[in-house]
Every structure is written in structure tokens, then in C-alpha cells.
Amino acid sequence: MTFAFLTPGRILFGRGAAAEAPARIAAMGRRILLVRGGSVRFADVLAEGLRAAGVAVLELRGQGEPDLPGLEAALAEARPFAADAVAAIGGGSVLDLGKALAALLPSDRPPLDHLEVVGQGLPLSAPPLPLAALPTTAGTGSEATKNAVIGVPAHGRKVSLRDDRLIPALALVDPALTDGCPWPVTLASGLDAVTQVIEPYLSRRANPLTDALCRDAIPRGLAALVRLRQAEDPAARDALALVSLTGGIALANAGLGAVHGLAGVIGGRHGAPHGAICGRLLAPTLRENRAALAAEGHTVARFDEVAGWIAGALGCAPGDAFRQLSDWIDAAGLPRLADLAEGPLDAVALARAASGSSSMKANPAALSPEALARIVMAG
């Protein structure tokens, strides 16, 4: 067996890790572009700490999931500042915006030239700026991935800007920044985190290192979500933050699958939140993938392992795990896709568009457009 394993930059994980942010980020340059979420209180502390250390700071606020027009506007605002480095603090969308700015500020080409699927997918024309990432939700694992997800409204898609050098040079993962996160956000982002350790485990590109990470993370993430539905719990927050980080490392090395292949199209066309889409698609995608592999005589042992972990978290029989997961998600309050989407869902058109998504390349089964449409309708 031969494979390459892409490793993240320096990671500090644990409660209190964020306290080191001002000093560590100040060491990255004297002019810092600070990309922040609108309601992140620690961002004020970070900005004050950087300025106290003699660093010039330009604050730029992310507004929802980044799209191409917003990215172009942010680039125009940030370029005159001539930052030495970028620090991003917020949810996965804010981190993606920070990564895209770090990638494109040194570039002399328009952003679309570097985007996959809808653009030319060209390599970056210059090395990205150094980037520090501080996640305040446990979901995307963007602090450990080599891509930034950007919406392109003109094409109705969410696509990736991808480069190995986009993995943040510094990730400060402090679960305390996620304490008290509202349950709807915790549920959607947490299901995204769980999906991002399940899909790499089932991926065609899985390898022994990603397997080791995901086998620990899948049951850990499921148990943390079940616990956080019951009550706020710092230990469960710690666990979910670790699962999110693990998912970022795993997907960077083993890829994803049909959940994310469909999510990019649904989110791009209908404006629904990414984590909520993934949560809605997870159980039906597991069912369709397992059925397709079994029908072709392939092993489904890994799907049965995943079913066992779900059953352990939910207290049900493994044979009923995927249905029980859907029922649990319903009871936990995640809206259906039809309620999340702007406008009616055309399952057939979405399935056809998703078939060419980059995430589909690692999906364990070659799902037909009909199977993909059934997943959308079940969501």
C-alpha cells in the first residue's frame, strides 16, 4: 500500500488554548487581517491583544457562508492594508473566508480562475499568506483542511478553492469558545462534524491513518451530540471539538462522499445552511450506499460498524440504526430539507448536478442519479 498523508500545521487543542492567540499571532507579522464572526466575543479580546502587542489590525466581518461576490468585495477592502498574515475566528464559514483571503490576496488572477468545477481550478499563482484559525463552532474542521468552500450564485453551486498550502499554519482549537452555542447551531454543525468522520471512514480513499482517527471519532461524536441534547456539558463540547478537528484531518486525506457532493449543489441553489443539509442527508446516504454495495456483492462491513456505533449512541438495534438516526434528528429539531431550502427542491435536477461534484469521487458506491434523487427526497 502506498499513500501520502497531508498533515496540518501547528495545532493547540484544549481549554485555554485561545489565551495564547494574541502572542502567537503577533509573531506571524506586524500587519494582521482579522476575519471574524459578527457575534464572537473573544474576537474583541484578540484584536485588543494584538494591538497591545504593537500589531496593526484590520478587522473584516464575515456575513454568512462566503460567496464569490462577497469574496471579491472583501479582497478589494483588504488589499490596500497589505497584511503579513491572516487570522480567522468564527464558525466554519468565517474560517473559509479567511482561508480564501489568505490564498488570493497575493494572487494576480481573479478568484474564479482558481475555483473547482465552475472555474479553471488553476494552482495559486503565489504562496498564500500565513493563516491562523480559531474555530468557535464544532463542525467543519476547516482549521485542518486544504480547501475553502465558496458559493458561486451565478452557477448555483458551492465549490472549493483548494491548495495544500491552505492548511492553516496555526490552529488554536479551544472548546471553551463553543460553550453555550445554541442547540440548533450545535446540532447542525455537530452533525456535519460526525458526517466528516463517517464519510472518510467509508471512502474509497480511506487509509490506515484516517481509519484510526475515524474509528475513535465516530462514536465519540455521536455520544457528544446525544449528551448535548440533554444538557450543556463541557466534556461533550470538548469531545465534539476534537471530532471536528479530526474530521478536517480525515477529509483532507481520504475525501468525503455523496452527502457533501449533494450538499454543495443544494446549498448553492437553495441557500440552506451547509451543516443542516449534511445532517439531513446523512442517514439516507448511508442507506443508499449500503444497498448499492450489497447489490453488487461488495462488502458492507464498514457500514455495519458505523451502524453499530450509531446503535450504541442511540440505544437501538444495529439493524435499525439508520432509521433511528433519522428519527433522532427529527426529534432533535433539525428542519427537513424542504423547510430549509429557498424554493421547491427538484430532486432529479439536483442529483444530476451533484453527480459531477468532486466529493462524489471518493463515495464508496457509484450511486445512480435515481439513488441520489431518493436521498434528496428522504432528506
Side-chain angles (χ1 to χ4, degrees):
M1 177 181 294
T2 301
F3 61 88
F5 195 83
L6 190 67
T7 55
R10 182 168 179 79
I11 297 173
L12 277 73
F13 180 93
R15 290 184 172 264
E20 299 193 30
R24 289 186 176 272
I25 295 171
M28 297 173 69
R30 306 314 296 168
R31 300 180 68 79
I32 300 295
L33 173 62
L34 179 60
V35 183
R36 57 179 294 179
S39 61
V40 178
R41 287 174 292 181
F42 187 78
D44 294 328
V45 176
L46 177 56
E48 292 171 7
L50 289 171
R51 293 188 174 108
V55 175
V57 179
L58 173 65
E59 297 185 50
L60 193 154
R61 292 178 183 264
Q63 301 292 331
E65 296 182 356
D67 61 18
L68 184 57
L71 173 58
E72 291 172 334
L75 285 165
E77 181 179 350
R79 277 206 167 98
F81 180 67
D84 297 317
V86 178
I89 176 169
S93 296
V94 171
L95 267 56
D96 276 0
L97 177 59
K99 291 165 78 173
L101 289 169
L104 296 173
L105 283 171
S107 175
D108 57 2
R109 303 186 68 97
L112 194 59
D113 284 0
H114 301 292
L115 296 182
E116 297 177 348
V117 183
V118 301
Q120 298 182 55
L122 295 177
L124 296 177
S125 57
L129 295 176
L131 174 70
L134 291 85
T136 60
T137 60
T140 68
S142 186
E143 67 274 10
T145 67
K146 61 181 179 180
N147 66 299
V149 178
I150 306 296
V152 186
H155 292 269
R157 298 292 290 266
K158 291 181 183 178
V159 298
S160 282
L161 169 67
R162 195 183 307 270
D163 189 286
D164 287 355
R165 296 167 295 178
L166 271 185
I167 294 182
L170 173 66
L172 294 161
V173 184
D174 188 337
L177 297 181
T178 73
D179 285 351
C181 184
W183 172 243
V185 177
T186 298
L187 176 62
S189 59
L191 286 169
D192 190 18
V194 169
T195 301
Q196 290 180 169
V197 286
I198 290 177
E199 286 202 301
Y201 187 64
L202 301 175
S203 166
R204 297 180 186 182
R205 300 175 185 166
N207 63 65
L209 292 177
T210 57
D211 285 352
L213 292 170
C214 295
R215 283 193 184 103
D216 174 80
I218 295 168
R220 185 190 297 270
L222 290 164
L225 270 178
V226 170
R227 174 58 184 155
L228 286 167
R229 185 185 171 203
Q230 298 167 344
E232 181 66 25
D233 186 330
R237 293 286 182 191
D238 292 356
L240 205 54
L242 181 58
V243 171
S244 181
L245 173 62
T246 299
I249 298 170
L251 74 87
N253 286 279
L256 290 164
V259 171
H260 280 80
L262 285 164
V265 177
I266 296 170
R269 294 190 179 187
H270 293 280
H274 173 77
I277 298 172
C278 290
R280 271 294 162 198
L281 296 176
L282 177 57
T285 301
L286 288 170
R287 287 195 298 267
E288 289 289 346
N289 269 320
R290 189 188 187 284
L293 289 173
E296 295 174 0
H298 298 300
T299 180
V300 292
R302 288 192 176 224
F303 284 84
D304 293 342
E305 280 185 279
V306 171
W309 291 322
I310 294 170
L314 300 184
C316 65
D320 199 31
F322 299 156
R323 185 184 68 79
Q324 287 288 343
L325 177 60
S326 289
D327 291 347
W328 185 88
I329 290 169
D330 286 340
L334 190 69
R336 307 288 302 216
L337 280 183
D339 298 319
L340 290 165
E342 298 172 0
L345 293 168
D346 184 337
V348 174
L350 291 168
R352 288 174 179 163
S355 295
S357 299
S358 57
S359 292
M360 288 294 185
K361 297 175 183 177
N363 195 62
L367 295 178
S368 67
E370 292 77 16
L372 293 173
R374 286 196 296 270
I375 291 170
V376 174
M377 290 185 288

